[in-house]
Amino acid sequence: MAPALRLVGLISLLFTFAVAAGCYSWYDYNSASNYGSKRDLPRQDTSRAYQTQQQYAPVSHKVTKLEMNQNLSDQVAAMYGVNSAIVLVGDNVAYTAITMDSTASGTHGGDKMALDSNKDGRARGENPAGDFQSLHVDPTQLIDGVSGAQTEPHHEHISHLFKQKIAEKIRSLEPTIQDVYISANPNIIDQFTKLAIESWHGRSLSPYIPEFTRTMERTFGTDPTIPNQAEANGREY
């Protein structure tokens, strides 16, 4: 009977540990598909790779040259948590518009997620063709439907680590990039899609620079942004 009792005791002890662990999965660590681990220590191991210059001084979004970078767009789109991506490069600054999906966790920062998809406020959307270059629809209707692509009106509500990994990917592929801005706002996605279509047709984006500048100034601002506590410790609220 003694060995049996010892076995029952061991099982009970293991069950107690499991209950104490609660929702903290043994696999809940930061990874390519998990940007919001509750198990890892809240830390930031590297300097912020996005909106870097804006941490210290006012910035300008005025550019003299604007081009779409297809390789960067494809590489960011291939990341976990990203449904689609368009990267525009203006004077060695990468401006990135993404939609998100459920292939990764921890992509949203904040207790209240403001998921959106288009101007009428629906919370889900889709890339109707799967291939932006083959679209024959109004770009403003790009995010529309039920496939699961997600947008986020406020770039501050995209989690720090998610933005960090996107920016690091861009910088590793293009070392000349001096800064990175990331948005999942549906209006930004609309505008970037229009510019991408122009680029795919071989047309210059120069005529769109004034409008682009105004939109980026509205979206990201030009005044210095002091890193909040979440960015300092590697996690957003």
Side-chain angles (χ1 to χ4, degrees):
M1 291 294 294
L5 290 174
R6 284 197 296 270
L7 180 59
V8 170
L10 179 59
I11 293 174
S12 299
L13 184 60
L14 291 174
F15 178 77
T16 301
F17 285 150
V19 171
C23 62
Y24 293 93
S25 166
W26 294 108
Y27 303 102
D28 183 25
Y29 292 95
N30 288 329
S31 68
S33 60
N34 183 2
Y35 303 101
S37 169
K38 293 180 174 61
R39 190 176 180 82
D40 275 352
L41 291 174
R43 62 182 182 274
Q44 182 174 340
D45 296 325
T46 58
S47 300
R48 196 172 82 178
Y50 60 91
Q51 285 182 258
T52 305
Q53 298 176 40
Q54 200 170 1
Q55 293 180 98
Y56 311 107
V59 297
S60 172
H61 296 286
K62 295 179 180 178
V63 299
T64 59
K65 185 178 182 180
L66 184 64
E67 296 179 329
M68 181 191 172
N69 189 304
Q70 188 66 57
N71 180 54
L72 292 180
S73 301
D74 293 341
Q75 293 297 320
V76 173
M79 296 178 65
Y80 286 107
V82 181
N83 180 268
S84 64
I86 296 175
V87 180
L88 301 176
V89 178
D91 295 351
N92 293 325
V93 175
Y95 294 90
T96 309
I98 63 170
T99 61
M100 298 174 283
D101 60 27
S102 59
T103 58
S105 58
T107 55
H108 299 276
D111 295 328
K112 296 181 180 179
M113 295 187 298
L115 297 181
D116 200 356
S117 65
N118 54 19
K119 295 180 180 65
D120 65 9
R122 280 174 287 183
R124 296 287 178 177
E126 69 175 338
N127 170 2
D131 175 6
F132 286 151
Q133 298 190 52
S134 65
L135 288 177
H136 299 286
V137 297
D138 183 341
T140 63
Q141 300 302 313
L142 180 65
I143 305 300
D144 185 22
V146 292
S147 75
Q150 304 166 0
T151 60
E152 169 52 65
H154 306 289
H155 65 89
E156 296 92 341
H157 292 163
I158 304 173
S159 71
H160 161 72
L161 188 57
F162 189 34
K163 289 185 287 190
Q164 182 78 359
K165 294 303 181 183
I166 291 173
E168 288 174 352
K169 168 73 75 174
I170 290 173
R171 288 174 177 272
S172 69
L173 293 168
E174 292 287 348
T176 59
I177 293 297
Q178 298 172 356
D179 212 342
V180 180
Y181 291 84
I182 301 164
S183 174
N185 183 289
N187 294 313
I188 301 299
I189 296 166
D190 287 348
Q191 181 177 9
F192 276 45
T193 303
K194 293 176 184 177
L195 296 178
I197 291 173
E198 290 295 289
S199 179
W200 289 325
H201 283 89
R203 293 190 279 265
S204 171
L205 301 185
S206 295
Y208 302 95
I209 287 179
E211 178 187 3
F212 175 84
T213 298
R214 288 191 297 270
T215 302
M216 294 303 98
E217 289 178 346
R218 242 184 353 258
T219 302
F220 298 105
T222 57
D223 293 334
T225 59
I226 301 173
N228 60 28
Q229 179 181 352
E231 291 170 347
N233 66 22
R235 183 175 302 159
E236 294 206 11
Y237 305 116

